């Protein structure tokens, strides 16, 4: 008989304890959401094809969500790599590649297709057009 009374008291307590644990787990999940990095104009990270003002291809750039980047020439060879960050409303690239200077770019709002114009502090503007992977198509 004592076992029966114990179970009648213990069962509701066990349910309350489980419910409290579930609430704690939910709170942890909500607070662990990762920050999504975007360039200064709000464009998402990813690969972009780069062209000059005449529309001639210059290569591509991979702007990664972890704050790193790589620039490629038309043959697909890496020509610069390093880190990037948004500084004073511009997207700035800090290369680790020898002989490549740091640059900051002012970007226009992305068009419907995601493309935008990026103008460096010194030099000619370029157009960056997102590259959609075969998997994303």
């Amino acid at each position: 008989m004592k076992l029966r009374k114990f179970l009648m008291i213990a069962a509701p307590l066990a349910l309350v304890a489980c419910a409290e644990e579930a609430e704690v787990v939910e709170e942890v999940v909500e607070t662990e959401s990762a920050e999504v990095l975007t360039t200064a104009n709000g464009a998402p990270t990813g690969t972009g094809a780069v062209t000059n003002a005449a529309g001639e291809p210059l290569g591509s750039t991979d702007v990664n969500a972890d704050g790193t980047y790589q620039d490629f020439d038309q043959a697909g060879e890496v020509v610069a790599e390093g880190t990037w960050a948004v500084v004073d409303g511009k997207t700035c690239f800090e290369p680790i590649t020898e002989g490549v200077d740091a640059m900051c770019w002012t970007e226009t709002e992305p068009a419907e297709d995601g493309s935008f114009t990026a103008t460096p502090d010194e030099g000619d503007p370029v157009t960056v057009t997102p590259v959609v992977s075969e998997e994303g198509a």
Side-chain angles (χ1 to χ4, degrees), residues 15-31:
L15 289 174
V16 169
C18 289
E20 286 176 10
E21 275 186 43
E23 288 175 25
V24 171
V25 170
E26 285 179 30
E27 289 176 29
V28 170
V29 170
E30 288 175 20
T31 60

Side-chain angles (χ1 to χ4, degrees), residues 39 41-44 47-48 108-117 127-131:
T39 60
N41 68 350
T47 301
T108 61
E109 290 288 320
E112 255 186 63
D113 67 355
S115 66
F116 57 90
T117 300
T127 299
V128 180
T129 304
V131 175

Side-chain angles (χ1 to χ4, degrees), residues 54-123:
E56 299 166 330
L58 299 175
S60 64
T61 187
D62 286 347
V63 178
N64 303 306
D66 67 358
T68 63
Y69 80 95
Q70 287 186 307
D71 289 335
F72 301 88
D73 63 15
Q74 290 182 51
E77 299 295 319
V78 175
V79 294
E81 61 187 335
T83 59
W84 71 274
V86 175
V87 178
D88 296 329
K90 298 178 182 183
T91 302
C92 297
F93 297 86
E94 185 67 42
I96 58 171
T97 306
E98 191 173 320
V100 179
D101 294 327
M103 294 182 79
C104 289
W105 301 77
T106 301
E107 304 154 336
T108 61
E109 290 288 320
E112 255 186 63
D113 67 355
S115 66
F116 57 90
T117 300
T119 304
D121 289 341
E122 294 180 23

